[in-house]
């Protein structure tokens, strides 16, 4: 039986820990729950907002909509061949639990993305990534329900148009679908990615010469715990801004002017710059502004020191964006979804 709650406080449903109210709130545990909701008058008359773990959101105002909280669970092996296992996960599974399931069963490909907060269903939205690996590398397909007509649609990898922290669901299909499951094509033979210095350093620390999938996952968990503030203790949404992509010519000029600027080759014609470095150079790292600020160890992470409003954090983000633009003539864009 669906329970639609009114004037619902979202404080415990976003990792910034911001108090805002949703006009209506409902939890969905299955596709049949959703199809029942589809016929409901509130669904038909209000706008909708799909909520996973709330770890990539900045809520700057009350949500004048029906918030649909995705809790669809279940992990099933669909098929396998000599090299791959196709695993379908309910979109409401916790991403890190899914990673641990794969690690325990020796299914390789997502171990570098251990401990990223949030749900499996939100992972394709921004093509989550960490330590040299992105969701798209093991993504096979997803199933979604159209919020307009209730039709179920399968999106394959090409149709998702994945990019760096991008997909079709952040662009032309934004807010149009409720993702109900994601299927991954996991590798039976690991092709481990230890290209990031922090991972190889951690393995060296424990004298691990031939790492297993679990060794990589454990190393990533240790690194992330030491580097990133835990949202349960200090409200945050991870990296607030994306690393900006600029033309190689611009990157070369900036590098000549600022020799310590970290520049990564991205495509043949473009490079990525480290947004955290740009922010730090503008003096924001560790700066506290009212109830918010840039984290003392990670300039890219904006935090809620207790009673910040979403508007306060957004005002700070705009100031940071502006000062980076004034100093470097580079526009940094939010990675977080600002509502
Ligand atoms: C401490 C910390 C560290 C992080 N580190 C990383 C990192 O290393 N790499 C990385 O990529 N991200 C990182 N993030 C960001 C975040 O974890 C991911 O973006 C995650 O995928 C968000 O999942 P969620 O369930 O919390 O989504 P939410 O925040 O609930 O939603 C995000 C967006 O997806 C939409 N959405 C959610 N579920 C669905 C669905 N089922 N169907 C349709 N739309 C949906 C929402 O409407 C919203 O627009 C980090 C966040 C934190 C707090």
């Amino acid at each position: 039986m669906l329970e639609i709650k009114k004037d619902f406080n979202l404080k415990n449903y976003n990792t910034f820990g911001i108090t805002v109210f949703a006009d209506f709130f409902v939890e969905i545990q299955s596709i049949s729950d959703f199809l029942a909701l589809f016929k409901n008058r509130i669904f038909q008359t209000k706008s909708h907002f799909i909520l996973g773990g709330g770890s990539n959101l900045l809520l700057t105002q009350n949500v004048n909509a029906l918030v649909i909280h995705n809790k669809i669970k279940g992990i099933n092996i669909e098929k396998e061949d000599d090299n791959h296992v196709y695993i379908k996960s309910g979109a409401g599974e916790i991403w890190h639990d899914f990673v641990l399931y794969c690690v325990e069963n020796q299914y390789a490909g997502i171990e570098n993305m251990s401990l990223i907060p949030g749900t499996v269903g939100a992972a394709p939205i921004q093509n989550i990534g960490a330590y040299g690996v992105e969701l798209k590398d093991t993504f096979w397909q997803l199933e979604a329900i159209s919020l307009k007509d209730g039709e179920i649609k399968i999106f394959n990898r090409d149709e998702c148009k994945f990019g760096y922290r991008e997909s079709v669901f952040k662009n032309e299909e934004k807010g149009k679908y409720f993702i109900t499951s994601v299927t991954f094509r996991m590798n039976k033979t690991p092709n481990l990615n230890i290209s990031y210095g922090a991972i190889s350093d951690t393995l060296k620390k424990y004298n691990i010469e031939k790492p297993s999938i679990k060794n990589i996952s454990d190393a990533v968990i240790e690194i992330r715990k030491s580097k990133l503030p835990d949202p349960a203790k200090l409200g945050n949404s991870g990296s607030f801004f994306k690393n900006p992509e600029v033309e190689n010519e611009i990157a070369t000029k900036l590098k000549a002017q600022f020799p310590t600027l970290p520049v990564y080759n991205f495509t043949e014609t473009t490079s990525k710059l480290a947004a955290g470095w740009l922010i730090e150079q503008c003096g924001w790292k560790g700066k506290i502004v009212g109830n918010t600020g840039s984290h003392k160890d990670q300039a890219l992470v904006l935090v809620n020191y207790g009673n910040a409003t979403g508007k306060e954090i957004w005002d700070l983000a705009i100031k940071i964006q502006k000062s980076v633009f004034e100093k470097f003539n580079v526009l940094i864009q939010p990675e977080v979804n600002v509502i």
Side-chain angles (χ1 to χ4, degrees), residues 13-16 48-58 68-70 72 91-95 112-131 133 143-145 147 165 169-170 174-181 224 228-231 234-239 301 335-339:
Y13 292 79
N14 70 98
T15 58
F16 262 123
H48 319 108
F49 182 76
I50 313 290
L51 178 69
S55 65
N56 203 14
L57 289 183
L58 176 63
I68 303 169
H69 186 37
N70 170 25
I72 300 177
E93 289 287 345
I94 300 300
W95 170 260
N112 291 43
M113 296 190 285
S114 298
L115 215 62
I116 296 181
T119 54
V120 168
I125 305 277
Q126 74 154 5
N127 179 29
I128 58 167
Y131 301 102
V133 174
E143 224 172 83
I145 307 181
L147 295 171
R165 302 295 180 272
F169 303 104
K170 278 185 100 172
K174 188 175 174 166
K176 294 187 188 164
Y177 285 93
F178 175 38
I179 297 170
T180 53
S181 71
R224 291 185 71 100
L228 288 167
D230 177 357
L234 189 60
N236 75 88
S237 219
S239 302
V301 177
E335 174 182 317
V336 170
N337 299 279
V338 182
I339 310 295

Side-chain angles (χ1 to χ4, degrees), residues 82-95:
D82 289 349
N83 300 317
H84 300 112
V85 187
Y86 296 76
I87 309 172
K88 183 174 178 175
S89 169
E93 289 287 345
I94 300 300
W95 170 260

Side-chain angles (χ1 to χ4, degrees), residues 15-17 55-58 117 131 223-243 274-280 283-289 291-305 308 312-314 316-317 320 324 332-336:
T15 58
F16 262 123
S55 65
N56 203 14
L57 289 183
L58 176 63
Y131 301 102
I223 298 162
R224 291 185 71 100
K225 279 190 175 161
S226 72
K227 267 180 58 176
L228 288 167
D230 177 357
K233 295 182 187 140
L234 189 60
N236 75 88
S237 219
S239 302
F240 195 91
F241 296 98
K242 294 198 273 191
N243 290 321
W277 187 91
L278 299 171
I279 295 168
E280 193 176 340
W284 290 106
K285 189 173 177 183
K287 206 167 195 171
I288 298 174
V289 184
N291 295 302
T292 178
S294 152
H295 189 257
K296 65 178 175 43
D297 302 324
Q298 295 291 334
L300 197 48
V301 177
L302 304 189
V303 297
N304 174 5
Y305 284 108
E312 231 179 321
I313 296 173
W314 184 231
L316 173 67
I320 291 175
V324 167
I332 51 171
Q333 298 282 8
E335 174 182 317
V336 170

